[in-house]
Amino acid sequence: MAELATIARPYAEALFRVAKSGNLAAWSELVSEMAQVAGNPEVLAFVSNPKLTDAQIIDTFVSLIKSPVSAEARNFIGALVENGRLVALPEVGVQFLALKNAAEGAADAHITSAFELSDAQVKELVATLEKKFGRKLVPAVTVDNSLIGGVRVTVGDEVLDTSVRAKLQKMHTALVA
């Protein structure tokens, strides 16, 4: 949804500038939590109620966030509510994380494994992948047993698929051709 990304970009950049001057890790957690709350369908239905005032929406939204909300964060939420942009908060969170990763020289690595990986296995895999991709990686691991064996890694627009399923598909293509 390009329009939502376009709307969210200036908010994410402004929030990132504020976060850089403070504790970036704490801001990152808060933005992630705010994005999750804003993405909830019940919350979206609530904030779109025309009978509610902006103050009621802000107070209710802030009460749904478990982390402490600073004055800057409350002002940010207020700006989103006043401009009718609270629905863009999940996209703001995505873009904020991308800005944070770029500033730290890192990237998200989506690792899909055929089997559950131990912490030691994830550390070893991430160390190998960081050498291959040439940057610090922040792993997110999921399990998909349809891979049969191996892993599938996505970093940005790059995909490294060493799964048994991918190898079988390559063999099938070669035999059919």
Side-chain angles (χ1 to χ4, degrees):
M1 184 178 246
E3 185 177 319
L4 195 57
T6 303
I7 291 169
R9 185 174 300 111
Y11 290 102
E13 290 171 351
L15 191 57
F16 184 72
R17 284 193 299 274
V18 170
K20 273 197 320 188
S21 64
N23 183 347
L24 190 57
W27 270 101
S28 181
E29 289 178 27
L30 179 61
V31 170
S32 176
E33 186 177 350
M34 289 190 310
Q36 280 184 319
V37 171
N40 184 312
E42 293 174 9
V43 172
L44 290 174
F46 176 80
V47 301
S48 63
N49 185 344
K51 295 180 182 178
L52 298 173
T53 65
D54 287 350
Q56 290 172 315
I57 293 171
I58 294 167
D59 290 341
T60 304
F61 188 82
V62 168
S63 72
L64 295 173
I65 299 170
K66 294 179 184 170
S67 301
V69 178
S70 65
E72 292 99 346
R74 187 175 180 86
N75 289 341
F76 178 73
I77 293 166
L80 289 172
V81 170
E82 289 166 11
N83 294 311
R85 304 291 196 211
L86 199 59
V87 296
L89 191 50
E91 180 63 26
V92 170
V94 168
Q95 291 191 22
F96 180 89
L97 182 60
L99 290 168
K100 177 183 174 274
N101 284 345
E104 294 174 343
D108 288 332
H110 301 283
I111 302 170
T112 306
S113 173
F115 302 100
E116 192 70 36
L117 297 174
S118 69
D119 289 340
Q121 289 172 317
V122 171
K123 276 184 160 180
E124 183 180 333
L125 179 60
V126 168
T128 303
L129 292 170
E130 285 177 344
K131 290 177 187 171
K132 176 163 180 44
F133 289 103
R135 58 186 164 226
K136 184 179 182 288
L137 298 177
V138 180
V141 181
T142 57
V143 175
D144 179 4
N145 52 13
S146 71
L147 296 179
I148 304 170
V151 294
R152 183 174 198 266
V153 181
T154 306
V155 178
D157 61 352
E158 297 177 73
V159 178
L160 175 64
D161 196 344
T162 62
S163 67
V164 172
R165 181 177 71 187
K167 291 177 183 176
L168 288 173
Q169 286 174 338
K170 285 181 186 176
M171 285 175 45
H172 173 72
T173 303
L175 290 172
V176 172

